[in-house]
Amino acid sequence: MIRLAAIGINVVDIYTGLKKIYPGGNEYNISYTVNKLGGQSSFIGVFADDYAGNLLASLLRRQGVDISHCRYESGSSGYALVELIDGDRVFSDYNRRGVTDLHPIRFTPEDLKYIQTHDVVCISYASRLALDDYTKLYKTGVPLCYDFSDSFTEEKIKSYCPLMQFSFFSCSHLKEDAAVKSLLSQAVGCGTKLAVGTLGARGALAYDGEFFYRCEAKPAPVVDTMGAGDSFLAAFLYCYFENKDHAQAIPMAMEAGADYAKQTIGFYGSLGIGYDVDISALSDVLNI
């Protein structure tokens, strides 16, 4: 059974049109999903002392995610205002002074010892970690997975990929497969062992330095694209570690990722869990 640690953000996505908030955040989603799939997961992040922070922490506890190494700070939870346009989530605004922004995780010796009990560590562009933090994680010897999303640059690829076993890229804006293959080849050339590019409705491509692997997207009605990439990544890693000694481990993991992403686009929010709020009184939900 996979034991995964996800280190980074937890937020609430505020759907103004639906008058609901939905728990989310890259690493938060991954820890929740891997646990839901049957793995053991841990989340290391910073929770605020507002209603949203208590809600976010409680949900992970109920799901069985280990949050024993999380921090708790006075301030506001991270949040984003979300609008849906033909099922595609669009961020209209977000705060830049949530507790994770102001108090990012800085590892203690106890944290690093705890992290060494895991099979893989997930981090991302949104983790609020510095390159030195990634280096500390790399030195634990635990394989690292980094989600570049669509914010990758050549400088980041050269800096981060030597430390990562898995690198994920959101590539739906790259319209030609040749451009995606070039990106994945660059990532592997810089040191990552497996590079994966998600392509939205065009599926996904992966490269392990020897072969390219293709997976088609699973057709489904689109309710909301929020969290689809996180779902793909979480299900990919869960399946990969369950079958890593199998000759077809990568194609199997890609199919698992596509299957779970198909489910995610069929409900609102990253996890399909929403809470009614009074949009005119968000100060009752967040410390703002």
Side-chain angles (χ1 to χ4, degrees), residues 94-114:
Y94 57 93
N95 71 335
R96 299 165 179 81
R97 295 186 63 80
V99 290
T100 308
D101 299 296
L102 300 178
H103 308 282
I105 292 291
R106 293 296 176 258
F107 300 116
T108 66
E110 291 75 20
D111 291 330
L112 295 172
K113 184 177 180 180
Y114 170 72

Side-chain angles (χ1 to χ4, degrees), residues 204-242:
L205 276 167
Y207 181 57
D208 63 0
E210 187 174 4
F211 300 108
F212 283 99
Y213 304 87
R214 181 77 190 230
C215 174
E216 299 299 329
K218 308 297 182 180
V222 177
V223 173
D224 180 8
T225 59
M226 180 75 80
D230 299 340
S231 292
F232 182 97
L233 191 159
F236 180 102
L237 289 178
Y238 176 80
C239 181
Y240 179 86
F241 276 88
E242 288 292 298

Side-chain angles (χ1 to χ4, degrees), residues 246-281:
H246 194 288
Q248 296 297 307
I250 296 174
M252 291 166 66
M254 294 179 74
E255 289 292 330
D259 283 337
Y260 204 81
K262 174 184 175 179
Q263 297 179 44
T264 302
I265 64 174
F267 52 65
Y268 292 111
S270 298
L271 306 175
I273 302 170
Y275 301 86
D276 294 326
V277 294
D278 182 353
I279 299 297
S280 66

Side-chain angles (χ1 to χ4, degrees), residues 105-235:
I105 292 291
R106 293 296 176 258
F107 300 116
T108 66
E110 291 75 20
D111 291 330
L112 295 172
K113 184 177 180 180
Y114 170 72
I115 287 166
Q116 286 181 305
T117 67
H118 295 77
D119 300 312
V120 62
V121 174
C122 286
I123 44 186
S124 78
Y125 71 101
S127 292
R128 308 300 192 264
L129 300 179
L131 181 58
D132 181 59
D133 299 313
Y134 299 140
T135 301
K136 289 178 181 178
L137 289 173
Y138 176 77
K139 289 180 178 178
T140 66
V142 180
L144 305 182
C145 173
Y146 188 86
D147 185 0
F148 285 85
S149 187
D150 59 0
S151 65
F152 50 86
T153 64
E154 187 168 345
E155 180 181 357
K156 287 183 179 179
I157 290 170
K158 289 180 178 179
S159 297
Y160 299 166
C161 282
L163 305 174
M164 306 301 163
Q165 178 151 341
F166 305 93
S167 293
F168 283 75
F169 301 87
S170 297
C171 300
S172 58
H173 63 290
L174 299 178
K175 302 305 181 184
E176 300 294 333
D177 283 0
V180 181
K181 288 182 177 181
S182 177
L183 170 66
L184 303 183
S185 297
Q186 181 186 10
V188 170
C190 287
T192 199
K193 302 299 186 293
L194 178 64
V196 181
T198 56
L199 313 175
R202 290 159 45 220
L205 276 167
Y207 181 57
D208 63 0
E210 187 174 4
F211 300 108
F212 283 99
Y213 304 87
R214 181 77 190 230
C215 174
E216 299 299 329
K218 308 297 182 180
V222 177
V223 173
D224 180 8
T225 59
M226 180 75 80
D230 299 340
S231 292
F232 182 97
L233 191 159

